Amino acid sequence: MSKKYLVGLPLAVAAMSPALASVDAATAQAAVPTYTCTAQTWAGEQLPAVTVEAKHGKYQAQGVAQTRWGGVAKFATIDCKIEN
């Protein structure tokens, strides 16, 4: 191989990197499931529904939702249903 091609190869790879990174990011973003969660407080009051994204399943969605409610939700009453 001549030196011209060896010099041009890293430049071509560097030029393609942003395009490949954006495709990977878009694919990863689309793969994250969305959950709608409802719950009650310790006093039995219904909390407003929240929508959360959780890559690792329903249990993670429950934890994220509890954080969104500021910890006032009784964990046993959190019910998350997948949207997509």
Side-chain angles (χ1 to χ4, degrees):
M1 242 185 185
S2 73
K3 289 184 181 182
K4 279 196 260 184
Y5 293 119
L6 291 176
V7 171
L9 184 62
L11 295 175
V13 171
M16 291 288 292
S17 295
L20 295 176
S22 66
V23 169
D24 289 341
T27 304
Q29 180 97 11
V32 178
T34 305
Y35 293 83
T36 299
C37 303
T38 58
Q40 295 178 353
T41 65
W42 287 92
E45 300 169 350
Q46 189 68 28
L47 291 167
V50 296
T51 302
V52 298
E53 291 183 347
K55 187 194 276 187
H56 301 290
K58 185 177 179 178
Y59 189 75
Q60 181 188 18
Q62 289 173 320
V64 173
Q66 186 177 37
T67 304
R68 292 257 177 96
W69 285 309
V72 298
K74 185 176 180 181
F75 194 83
T77 65
I78 298 175
D79 183 34
C80 295
K81 296 196 183 334
I82 193 163
E83 288 185 0
N84 56 356

